[in-house]
Amino acid sequence: MAHRLDPLKLPAHIAIIMDGNGRWAARRHLPRVQGHQAGVDAVRDAVEACARMGISVLTLYAFSTENWKRPQLEVTTLMRLLKRYLKQERHTLVEHHIRFRMIGRHEGLPADIRAELASAERETADAAGMQFNIALNYSGRAEIVDAARRAVALGLGADALDEQRFGSLLYTAGQPDPDLLIRTSGEMRVSNFLLWQIAYAEIHVTDVLWPDFRCRHLLEAVLDYQQRERRYGGIKQPARRRRSP
Ligand code: IPE
Ligand code: IPE
Ligand code: MG
């Protein structure tokens, strides 16, 4: 399938709503936390596959501000898995020149997780390869409110504020907007993810549950993306006529 990819039409930024861990576990009569555990392998795969494909930015939605509503055991398991992932995968990130970044609100996260995130960010800060964002304790609306607060704190007047300036106050400042948004497990919603940045993202929803999501599914999504005609509100570009000799 990889040979069908057009290397000149790769999405610069892929964002993924990793969904369906609970259903994956339920189908196997396992507790939900086992689904999250299995989901870590899919994270590993996606990060490496995107880095190898030459994607500039990958953003994975790992934990929303709304996910705190879940049972305590599930929340602590997710935090534990994240911490373990960061410890175990550090060398892979460094090896692939991946720059790691957490996007979301730091307040409210356990101190040990914040320390682990900060150390992964520090260690990969100078990497020149793929930017890898993990959205954690993340809410698209909160991100927009935080940007507005920063604008106020900076004393930016109405004249100084346009879309570009506002974008530079978001967690993803300096990064291209997602070209491709993938959601696994079939749900047709954005669940408060990158609300500002997905204005013109192409959306690919697959029924595959996150723990089953592998490199071939990623390729499928990118191939689907490459078939799309992006218009940005304009009209279909007419095919160029060949000039007669
Ligand atoms: C995604 O899987 C993981 C997180 C939201 C942290 P879910 O846990 O939402 O799985 P489903 O949607 O219940 O199947
Ligand atoms: C979105 O999945 C959040 C993450 C993937 C982290 P959810 O499972 O929380 O979303 P809803 O509740 O189905 O909208
Ligand atoms: Mg879900």
Side-chain angles (χ1 to χ4, degrees):
M1 211 190 297
H3 69 273
R4 283 167 47 208
L5 276 187
D6 180 348
L8 299 175
K9 270 179 75 178
L10 286 178
H13 183 167
I14 298 181
I16 309 183
I17 302 175
M18 310 184 287
D19 199 16
N21 294 353
R23 277 161 280 178
W24 184 94
R27 281 185 195 171
R28 288 161 179 77
H29 308 287
L30 295 169
R32 290 178 59 84
V33 292
Q34 298 256 43
H36 298 313
Q37 168 85 60
V40 178
D41 292 335
V43 170
R44 237 177 245 127
D45 250 44
V47 171
E48 285 201 42
C50 284
R52 266 189 274 114
M53 211 188 281
I55 301 301
S56 303
V57 186
L58 170 68
T59 303
L60 298 182
Y61 200 5
F63 194 88
S64 74
T65 52
E66 289 79 22
N67 290 146
W68 294 108
K69 291 182 211 155
R70 297 185 177 204
Q72 179 77 31
L73 172 70
E74 185 168 344
V75 170
T76 50
T77 303
L78 281 164
M79 295 295 156
R80 192 170 43 77
L81 288 171
L82 175 79
K83 192 171 164 186
R84 204 194 317 160
Y85 171 83
L86 288 174
K87 271 190 199 301
Q88 290 181 346
E89 291 304 299
R90 191 76 58 88
H91 66 279
T92 315
L93 300 182
V94 171
E95 202 179 296
H96 286 84
H97 311 287
I98 295 169
R99 196 165 53 256
F100 173 79
R101 172 93 183 277
M102 175 272 199
I103 60 168
R105 281 194 174 152
H106 289 80
E107 315 87 76
L109 286 173
D112 59 331
I113 298 289
R114 284 161 72 159
E116 201 59 47
L117 289 164
S119 113
E121 288 183 350
R122 234 183 358 256
E123 224 178 285
T124 63
D126 298 325
M130 185 177 79
Q131 171 75 45
F132 168 32
N133 303 315
I134 280 195
L136 186 67
N137 196 21
Y138 177 87
S139 145
R141 286 187 170 180
E143 179 180 23
I144 292 169
V145 169
D146 284 352
R149 286 180 178 158
R150 286 183 66 198
V152 172
L154 290 166
L156 290 179
D159 294 346
L161 214 49
D162 56 15
E163 290 184 10
Q164 206 184 345
R165 187 76 181 90
F166 195 80
S168 75
L169 302 172
L170 296 168
Y171 305 151
T172 52
Q175 301 178 14
D177 287 340
D179 301 295
L180 171 61
L181 172 67
I182 300 173
R183 182 164 187 149
T184 56
S185 86
E187 233 71 73
M188 299 283 189
R189 54 177 173 260
V190 293
S191 302
N192 208 0
F193 189 40
L194 301 175
L195 296 182
W196 173 282
Q197 297 89 333
I198 59 171
Y200 269 104
E202 295 296 328
I203 302 177
H204 174 92
V205 176
T206 169
D207 285 335
V208 174
L209 303 175
W210 178 251
D212 294 327
F213 193 85
R214 286 294 172 273
C215 187
R216 67 179 183 284
H217 303 112
L218 184 79
L219 285 173
E220 257 166 40
V222 175
L223 286 169
D224 178 25
Y225 164 82
Q226 294 190 330
Q227 300 307 312
R228 305 283 178 91
E229 188 205 335
R230 303 184 80 186
R231 295 190 188 177
Y232 301 100
I235 57 167
K236 186 172 161 54
Q237 292 298 316
R240 267 219 210 131
R241 281 238 213 101
R242 263 210 249 145
R243 260 198 279 154
S244 43

